[in-house]
């Protein structure tokens, strides 16, 4: 499974991309990630979660997960990250590789 998390926007407008390839992870980490994806119900999430405010310096995140026979892309404003998605995004941010 290949996971990409891109953070864009913010005050400086600098993008940051973090990638995780589960084939390169130890089995325990790969299992943790699978549980987080399942808990977030990631493959059933809608494509967009946007804030209604005009927050011009907030971050926007795009999370792409490609598995064997399924794929989903979710784009979310910083202030609208669903609670069930936060642990997954935190895990990727702490354990992924910046590209």
């Amino acid at each position: 499974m290949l996971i990409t998390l891109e953070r864009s926007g913010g005050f400086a407008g600098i993008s940051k991309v973090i990638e995780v390839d589960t084939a390169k992870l130890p089995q325990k980490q790969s299992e943790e990630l699978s549980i987080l994806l399942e808990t977030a119900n990631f493959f059933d999430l809608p494509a967009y979660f946007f804030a209604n405010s005009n927050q011009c310096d907030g971050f926007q995140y795009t999370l792409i997960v490609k598995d064997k026979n399924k794929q989903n892309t979710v784009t979310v404003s910083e202030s609208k990250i669903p609670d069930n998605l936060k642990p997954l995004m935190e895990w990727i941010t702490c354990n992924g590789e910046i590209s």
Side-chain angles (χ1 to χ4, degrees), residues 64-76:
I64 304 166
V65 179
K66 298 177 184 177
D67 202 358
K68 296 172 190 160
N69 58 352
K70 54 188 171 181
Q71 175 178 330
N72 195 20
T73 300
V74 175
T75 301
V76 60

Side-chain angles (χ1 to χ4, degrees), residues 34-91:
S34 292
I35 291 168
L36 289 170
L37 282 163
E38 186 176 321
T39 302
N41 203 22
F42 183 79
F43 290 104
D44 293 325
L45 291 175
Y48 300 100
F49 290 92
F50 285 117
N52 293 331
S53 70
N54 290 331
Q55 183 182 9
C56 59
D57 61 349
F59 289 114
Q60 175 176 301
Y61 297 90
T62 300
L63 182 57
I64 304 166
V65 179
K66 298 177 184 177
D67 202 358
K68 296 172 190 160
N69 58 352
K70 54 188 171 181
Q71 175 178 330
N72 195 20
T73 300
V74 175
T75 301
V76 60
S77 298
E78 178 180 31
S79 63
K80 293 296 279 186
I81 300 171
D83 289 339
N84 62 324
L85 194 55
K86 288 178 183 179
L88 174 62
M89 292 176 65
E90 288 171 7
W91 193 99

